[in-house]
Amino acid sequence: VTFEKRTFRLIISPAKKEEVEYLLAEIERKPFLFKNEKEFKEYLFSESTLKLFSDNQNLLKSKIRKFDSTADVENKTIDQLKDKLDEYITEIKNKNIEEKKNELKSYREKQEISEIIDTFQQIINREVPDPPLFLEWNVWRSLVMLNYAKKIDGNFVMDIDGMPLNYAPGNKPDIEAEYDDFGMIVEVTMSGGNTQYNMEGESVPRHYGKAKESFNGKDMYCIFIAPKISEGTLAHYFNLNRMNTKLYGGKTKIIPLSLNDFTSFIEVGIKNKFNNPKILKEWLELQWENNQNSDDENMWHEQVNSSVHSWV
């Protein structure tokens, strides 16, 4: 199953149609009757009880040949055929994701922009199946649409249809972007209050430090996004940005944005036809410099909030 892009209704994945049709054709719908628990468990735990599309050697060969008519599928075990099919599926998945990126980069269709902005509102209202996961996905889509990065990778898992499937692993930032002379990571959360600070206070600067190390001397920035930035989180990042911490590669450069401010940031960038990463770097650097010169975190946050409306 996957989600329909605009309505988020649960649907059968078009890419899995053959497998679903095979299940419907092969599985008996009538309930089985078992004489005792032992007989039931023998049925339940037997690997031969439920035959899947991927257990049928001839069907596997046929599907592989659809991807590559010259593929060598003879004298292959079922496991070898499954591995081969997985390779083709991975290629298709990567191709679909690249096509999705290209669609977003040519955004410049009002309908696509409006759909992404509407999705943020649905996330805030928790009208999507998994708000934290869909927030990672929609922020990634927004940054790809903003364009002009060498690469923008979401570390969350997408299915073959390009819809979000699982979160980014705990040892990686949610999103990584690389530009010619600087790098940027983006961390997102749906949490708030003390929970936000407890969940994100250590992991975000740790990811920042590792990313800075991996980018080989390039300037590194982090945008942290949440529906609302908690007081504890704001104070923590404000001070980390001002202190040398060896573990994090020196002073961090973490810029917190509420989800509303990030939405405005994207809309302003697209409206003003953002096309120069140097402008983005200058804006990020200015927010950090303001941090160094502000009397407290609230003054700094007000400066960040007001700047998103005219950053391009």
Side-chain angles (χ1 to χ4, degrees):
V1 295
T2 187
F3 293 104
E4 203 279 328
K5 190 178 84 168
R6 297 191 185 280
T7 65
F8 302 125
R9 288 184 298 182
L10 201 64
I11 61 170
I12 300 297
S13 167
K16 299 289 185 179
K17 187 181 176 207
E18 282 181 293
E19 284 87 336
V20 172
E21 288 179 344
Y22 180 84
L23 285 171
L24 293 174
E26 296 295 324
I27 292 177
E28 175 60 63
R29 251 72 108 215
K30 293 179 181 178
F32 290 95
L33 297 176
F34 301 98
K35 296 176 183 177
N36 50 52
E37 184 179 347
K38 180 175 180 294
E39 191 176 290
F40 169 65
K41 287 184 175 179
E42 285 175 353
Y43 167 83
L44 183 64
F45 299 122
S46 169
E47 64 180 23
S48 62
T49 296
L50 180 65
K51 290 292 185 182
L52 304 177
F53 182 97
S54 55
D55 294 319
N56 187 306
Q57 202 162 20
N58 290 329
L59 290 176
L60 283 173
K61 290 178 182 179
S62 174
K63 187 153 188 175
I64 289 171
R65 286 195 181 106
K66 287 181 182 178
F67 292 121
D68 183 359
S69 60
T70 64
D72 179 15
V73 294
E74 298 306 324
N75 302 317
K76 302 287 186 184
T77 66
I78 281 189
D79 283 340
Q80 288 173 327
L81 292 170
K82 285 180 182 179
D83 289 343
K84 193 69 178 173
L85 184 58
D86 282 343
E87 290 176 13
Y88 287 115
I89 289 173
T90 299
E91 285 180 16
I92 290 172
K93 177 180 171 180
N94 292 336
K95 181 182 176 184
N96 287 347
I97 291 172
E98 287 305 313
E99 287 177 354
K100 188 66 62 179
K101 285 182 179 179
N102 290 333
E103 286 177 17
L104 289 166
K105 286 177 181 178
S106 57
Y107 61 85
R108 317 265 181 177
E109 286 191 18
K110 291 182 180 178
Q111 184 178 5
E112 193 75 28
I113 300 168
S114 175
E115 189 261 322
I116 284 182
I117 301 304
D118 289 346
T119 299
F120 278 129
Q121 192 58 52
Q122 289 177 286
I123 290 167
I124 291 173
N125 296 338
R126 296 186 176 271
E127 296 170 349
V128 297
D130 187 336
L133 175 59
F134 274 70
L135 180 58
E136 289 184 26
W137 172 71
N138 210 45
V139 167
W140 169 79
R141 290 201 301 161
S142 301
L143 292 171
V144 172
M145 182 179 282
L146 197 59
N147 207 349
Y148 297 101
K150 290 173 69 175
K151 66 175 183 176
I152 297 180
D153 295 327
N155 288 322
F156 55 92
V157 180
M158 282 189 277
D159 63 21
I160 195 170
D161 302 291
M163 295 299 288
L165 188 64
N166 209 346
Y167 302 98
N171 61 344
K172 288 185 176 183
D174 296 328
I175 299 164
E176 296 175 272
E178 182 179 0
Y179 299 85
D180 286 331
D181 60 345
F182 71 101
M184 182 176 75
I185 65 170
V186 182
E187 299 279 11
V188 307
T189 185
M190 285 295 293
S191 62
N194 290 333
T195 301
Q196 184 183 100
Y197 173 75
N198 292 335
M199 290 177 62
E200 310 295 341
E202 188 277 333
S203 63
V204 171
R206 173 165 46 84
H207 292 163
Y208 172 89
K210 286 186 176 180
K212 185 175 181 180
E213 184 179 347
S214 68
F215 272 68
N216 299 320
K218 283 185 177 182
D219 288 333
M220 174 60 61
Y221 302 91
C222 171
I223 294 180
F224 175 77
I225 302 167
K228 183 179 179 181
I229 306 299
S230 77
E231 293 179 350
T233 303
L234 177 61
H236 182 56
Y237 295 157
F238 175 77
N239 287 315
L240 279 181
N241 286 349
R242 297 160 73 99
M243 296 188 298
N244 275 306
T245 307
K246 186 177 180 180
L247 181 62
Y248 306 143
K251 293 182 178 181
T252 59
K253 294 185 176 182
I254 303 171
I255 315 301
L257 290 176
S258 71
L259 189 47
N260 283 337
D261 283 338
F262 177 74
T263 302
S264 297
F265 177 87
I266 293 296
E267 286 183 300
V268 167
I270 291 171
K271 179 181 177 181
N272 289 280
K273 297 180 169 47
F274 167 77
N275 62 4
N276 186 356
K278 182 182 177 183
I279 293 173
L280 174 59
K281 183 182 179 184
E282 288 174 351
W283 179 80
L284 291 165
E285 186 68 19
L286 178 61
Q287 306 321 303
W288 180 76
E289 289 174 359
N290 288 339
N291 175 288
Q292 307 302 294
N293 298 316
S294 295
D295 291 339
D296 58 48
E297 67 273 22
N298 291 331
M299 180 184 293
W300 174 54
H301 198 44
E302 287 174 10
Q303 291 174 321
V304 174
N305 291 348
S306 63
S307 71
V308 299
H309 303 290
S310 57
W311 72 273
V312 178

